[in-house]
Amino acid sequence: MIAIITGDIINSQNSDVETWLPKLKDLMGTWSTTPENWEVYRGDEFQLKCSVDQVFHKAILLKSLIRTFENLDVRLAIGIGNEVFHSEKITESNGSAYVNSGRLLTDIKTQGRTLAIQTENEKVNLDLNILFKWASIDFDNWTVATAEIIHQLLCNSELTQDDLAKELNITQSSVSQRLKRANFDLIQETDQFFRKKIAEL
């Protein structure tokens, strides 16, 4: 069983691609190789293959990265399933994980949603998609400053508030306030819940 994230950048036509695309590629490049395990195509769409237990964490890293750019957001459709054909290019590989993710992205575009999951288990789908609907109310309203601090901490959980203050050139109390506004502890709890729930598959 594998996880596929199919995503597209919202409002990309009104932004300079050179500001966000290199950073998106750099992030996915730290996880695995392209084009076998990830690829950006049609300018503002991408696909990523990863392990099932890591997929929510990676989705939030992608979300927080894109939200650090003014007026940009990202849709993320997570598909869980198998891989029946493995190609040297992820966009040519196939299996239920790919089908679930690709079809789901089309669905959430029409529904106006930005995060959803499709597995072979309808109960898991129901539980996690309700969770994602609630979480997206928060995620979709992150400011650039909030997204920046979440992204930094998700990339390096060892960072202290003092480290973050120096990195972002703000005070430690400002870091503390941003983390509270970002509900960072709740994001971590959600990740743990996701891992337990997905283990039911």
Side-chain angles (χ1 to χ4, degrees):
M1 199 163 55
I2 62 166
I4 298 293
I5 297 175
T6 306
D8 72 332
I9 307 300
I10 300 169
N11 210 30
S12 62
Q13 68 276 11
N14 296 320
S15 70
D16 180 3
V17 68
E18 290 305 315
T19 61
W20 58 266
L21 184 57
K23 295 203 172 192
L24 176 62
K25 288 181 173 179
D26 285 348
L27 177 62
M28 293 194 290
T30 64
W31 298 331
S32 55
T33 55
T34 184
E36 184 179 13
N37 295 314
W38 64 267
E39 192 171 4
V40 179
Y41 54 94
R42 290 199 291 220
D44 64 355
E45 295 187 17
F46 60 90
Q47 207 162 46
L48 168 74
K49 177 168 74 172
C50 64
S51 65
V52 172
D53 66 319
Q54 284 285 313
V55 70
F56 179 75
H57 183 77
K58 285 183 165 50
I60 299 306
L61 273 163
L62 290 164
K63 180 81 169 181
S64 59
L65 172 68
I66 298 303
R67 292 289 298 181
T68 63
F69 299 98
E70 199 74 53
N71 301 319
L72 284 186
D73 204 346
V74 61
R75 286 184 201 89
L76 299 165
I78 300 170
I80 308 291
N82 63 14
E83 181 181 60
V84 295
F85 175 70
H86 176 79
S87 171
E88 291 179 358
K89 291 184 72 176
I90 187 173
T91 51
E92 295 173 1
S93 296
N94 207 342
S96 62
Y98 296 89
V99 173
N100 287 340
S101 182
R103 288 180 179 167
L104 184 60
L105 184 65
T106 302
D107 291 344
I108 65 175
K109 276 184 184 180
T110 61
Q111 296 164 7
R113 295 170 61 196
T114 58
L115 179 64
I117 188 167
Q118 179 70 39
T119 76
E120 304 301 312
N121 185 314
E122 283 308 314
K123 183 181 184 309
V124 169
N125 292 341
L126 183 64
D127 291 349
L128 288 177
N129 279 310
I130 288 172
L131 177 70
F132 286 176
K133 282 179 183 179
W134 276 110
S136 292
I137 294 170
D138 200 27
F139 300 164
D140 292 349
N141 287 294
W142 284 341
T143 63
V144 168
T146 299
E148 189 175 39
I149 206 160
I150 289 168
H151 191 73
Q152 292 274 6
L153 268 177
L154 289 175
C155 284
N156 184 0
S157 60
E158 302 300 312
L159 285 174
T160 65
Q161 289 193 11
D162 285 334
D163 294 333
L164 282 166
K166 288 173 189 167
E167 182 86 22
L168 300 172
N169 200 27
I170 57 177
T171 64
Q172 185 273 326
S173 62
S174 294
V175 169
S176 179
Q177 288 168 6
R178 286 189 193 181
L179 287 174
K180 283 178 187 171
R181 281 197 302 270
N183 295 311
F184 189 73
D185 289 344
L186 188 55
I187 293 171
Q188 292 178 302
E189 287 177 40
T190 303
D191 188 17
Q192 292 305 312
F193 176 81
F194 177 88
R195 290 170 193 254
K196 287 177 186 173
K197 197 72 189 171
I198 215 73
E200 294 176 13
L201 294 175

